[in-house]
């Protein structure tokens, strides 16, 4: 994914659900899984500089989607401001 991002130079990435396989985040917005399977994975030199807009998929709904929304307060890149949201690009 880093190679594609460096090549295409997107302004952001859209994460279309199933952000955390298995059955989502079971802890809070402080769950260590955010570090393990997001921050430590999407951390290449380009991906580390752009926002990733998320929405929950069926695997995420097996856990605590509110934790994913709450994590937006702790990460500069993770953007999941509410259950339903939009992002306009001009």
């Amino acid at each position: 994914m880093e190679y594609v991002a460096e090549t295409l130079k997107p302004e952001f990435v859209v994460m279309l659900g199933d952000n955390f396989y298995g059955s989502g985040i079971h802890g809070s917005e402080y769950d260590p899984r955010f570090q393990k399977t997001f921050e430590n994975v999407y951390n290449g030199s380009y991906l580390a500089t752009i926002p990733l807009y998320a929405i929950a998929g069926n695997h995420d709904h097996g856990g605590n989607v509110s934790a994913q929304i709450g994590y937006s307060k702790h990460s500069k890149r993770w953007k999941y401001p509410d259950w339903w949201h939009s992002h306009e690009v001009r």
Side-chain angles (χ1 to χ4, degrees):
M1 194 163 160
E2 177 65 23
Y3 173 78
V4 172
E6 286 181 348
T7 302
L8 299 178
K9 306 277 191 243
E11 294 178 30
F12 58 90
V13 170
V14 177
M15 299 179 70
L16 299 175
D18 295 350
N19 307 315
F20 299 94
Y21 271 104
S23 57
I25 296 288
H26 288 278
S28 71
E29 62 199 65
Y30 301 99
D31 193 303
R33 196 153 178 216
F34 286 108
Q35 287 298 313
K36 182 179 178 184
T37 58
F38 174 69
E39 300 292 349
N40 293 345
V41 173
Y42 302 104
N43 64 352
S45 61
Y46 191 85
L47 285 175
T49 66
I50 61 173
L52 289 87
Y53 291 91
I55 196 72
N58 63 317
H59 288 107
D60 301 303
H61 282 285
N64 182 4
V65 175
S66 295
Q68 292 190 41
I69 295 168
Y71 188 68
S72 295
K73 296 181 287 188
H74 306 285
S75 174
K76 291 187 259 184
R77 300 179 304 136
W78 181 265
K79 306 294 181 191
Y80 194 164
D82 208 341
W83 289 90
W84 295 273
H85 62 95
S86 63
H87 178 75
E88 186 173 328
V89 178
R90 295 182 184 251

